[in-house]
Amino acid sequence: MKRAVYPGSFDPMTYGHLDIIRRSAEMFDELIVAVLVNQQKNALFSVDERVKILQEATKDLPNVKVDFFSGLLINYAAEHGLHVAVRGLRAITDFEYELQLSQTNRMLSDGALDTIFLNTSLQYSYLSSSSVKEIASFGGDISQCVPDYVEARLREKFQSR
Ligand code: ADP
């Protein structure tokens, strides 16, 4: 059985992430979307909220599971018998960081964890969780960036501030 993990902050999930999830779910028998805990201390959404959003977004994809982890990805992968990580590449600016991360993971895991990259669908190449949060914080229209329920949660967050 071919399995992979798609790790990230997903704070919050955008259509760009969902595009990578859908496309990689077609390539693997099982895809685990794993939310990284504590990577960003100033995350807007709690891990529980981020997991729930991802579960809602992927409920029509039976081979996608949502989980969370803290610490090193290589340890999570080893515990779950996973040997492939999926990451998305938006632009050349993502490449250097992603290359370094994937080589580090490969080295630290003695070659047990490889990374594959999917390039973003062009219509999402400009999208990032941080820009979505910034636009939402100023009351801008983010309907093309995230599903309705994520937009609603973002509005709640910024109204209560
Ligand atoms: P991290 O903080 O770990 O980079 P993110 O949640 O921002 O986590 O992103 C997780 C992964 O999804 C990364 O590989 C990132 O490059 C990718 N990604 C983020 N936004 C998009 C997008 N709009 N299109 C394609 N891939 C994306």
Side-chain angles (χ1 to χ4, degrees), residues 10-58:
F10 305 106
D11 183 41
M13 182 209 75
T14 68
Y15 281 139
H17 295 126
L18 193 53
D19 175 56
I20 300 288
I21 293 171
R22 288 189 178 283
R23 286 160 57 206
S24 41
E26 284 180 19
M27 297 173 193
F28 294 93
D29 299 308
E30 183 178 271
L31 178 73
I32 301 176
V33 183
V35 176
L36 179 52
V37 181
N38 279 348
Q39 187 209 26
Q40 293 171 294
K41 290 192 185 100
N42 56 349
L44 182 63
F45 288 90
S46 70
V47 172
D48 192 46
E49 289 173 316
R50 286 182 263 162
V51 165
K52 289 210 170 92
I53 288 169
L54 283 159
Q55 281 170 337
E56 175 67 26
T58 58

Side-chain angles (χ1 to χ4, degrees), residues 6 8-10 16-17 20 39 87-88 90 94 98 120 124 127:
Y6 177 29
S9 309
F10 305 106
H17 295 126
I20 300 288
Q39 187 209 26
R87 296 283 289 177
R90 280 163 293 196
D94 280 340
E98 292 290 344
T120 177
Y124 304 127
L127 255 186

